[in-house]
Amino acid sequence: MQKLGDFKLPQFFNYPPYFTLQPVRDTREKQVQLWKELILDYCRTQQIFAIELEEEFPLFSNPVIERSLSHEARKAFLSALVSEGRAEWLDKGHRKCLILWHRIQDWANIILHFVKDNGLEDGVMTIEEIRSGIESRGTELHGIDRTILMRALKLLESKGKLAIFKGTSTDDEGVKFSV
């Protein structure tokens, strides 16, 4: 089985036709599903939050079989993730895609578990402490993309679980939990 670093690649990754958009609808649907799962799984295990269509991305080419995805195929697979709510275009030109291997609601739930596990129910933390502090080490929150974190925190704020307060700079933006 072929690997990409410590990531095991699925069988279809060595099958040349899967690097070309398939013309038959049923075949293409299966192809798109396999690619969506692969992209989400790879991004989750490698802690990747954004993919740029124009830049090299390890999954988009396989040197072993000398195949690469076309721009059209890349866009088709990412657009399929967007239509399922598992990704979002970050620009009008659809060149950069935010990957949501957890949906925003799921990230919000992870934050709530983190708060409870660390006894922070009435605590205060900065946004940066959540992303890179000692408490978040070894959790999925460590290194989380700021855009995703802020969207999950705003969702929790709308549900009355916390209050976000602005500091004098983005480094001291904080969160007061009230779980």
Side-chain angles (χ1 to χ4, degrees), residues 95-121:
R95 289 184 302 275
K96 188 170 184 178
C97 200
L98 185 69
I99 304 298
L100 299 169
W101 22 277
H102 289 307
R103 288 181 170 89
I104 298 299
Q105 176 61 57
D106 297 331
W107 280 114
N109 292 336
I110 290 168
I111 292 167
L112 288 178
H113 287 293
F114 169 77
V115 167
K116 289 175 183 165
D117 291 348
N118 288 287
L120 298 165
E121 285 86 355

Side-chain angles (χ1 to χ4, degrees), residues 81-93:
L81 285 170
V82 169
S83 68
E84 274 183 13
R86 301 307 303 265
E88 293 175 9
W89 293 112
L90 290 171
D91 61 332
K92 284 186 170 44

Side-chain angles (χ1 to χ4, degrees), residues 59-98:
L59 293 180
F60 292 161
S61 62
N62 184 342
V64 173
I65 59 170
E66 298 179 0
R67 290 286 193 270
S68 291
L69 289 175
S70 67
H71 185 273
E72 180 191 8
R74 294 172 186 205
K75 195 164 186 173
F77 300 148
L78 292 175
S79 293
L81 285 170
V82 169
S83 68
E84 274 183 13
R86 301 307 303 265
E88 293 175 9
W89 293 112
L90 290 171
D91 61 332
K92 284 186 170 44
H94 293 190
R95 289 184 302 275
K96 188 170 184 178
C97 200
L98 185 69

Side-chain angles (χ1 to χ4, degrees), residues 42-61:
Y42 182 77
C43 288
R44 181 181 49 77
T45 61
Q46 306 302 308
Q47 292 269 297
I48 296 169
F49 292 95
I51 296 175
E52 293 197 37
L53 276 182
E54 312 300 328
E55 291 183 9
E56 279 305 307
F57 186 68
L59 293 180
F60 292 161
S61 62

Side-chain angles (χ1 to χ4, degrees), residues 140-156:
E140 286 190 280
L141 292 174
H142 198 77
I144 186 173
D145 179 84
R146 188 177 175 82
T147 304
I148 294 172
L149 177 59
M150 292 308 294
R151 296 230 351 253
L153 290 172
K154 284 180 178 145
L155 176 65
L156 290 171

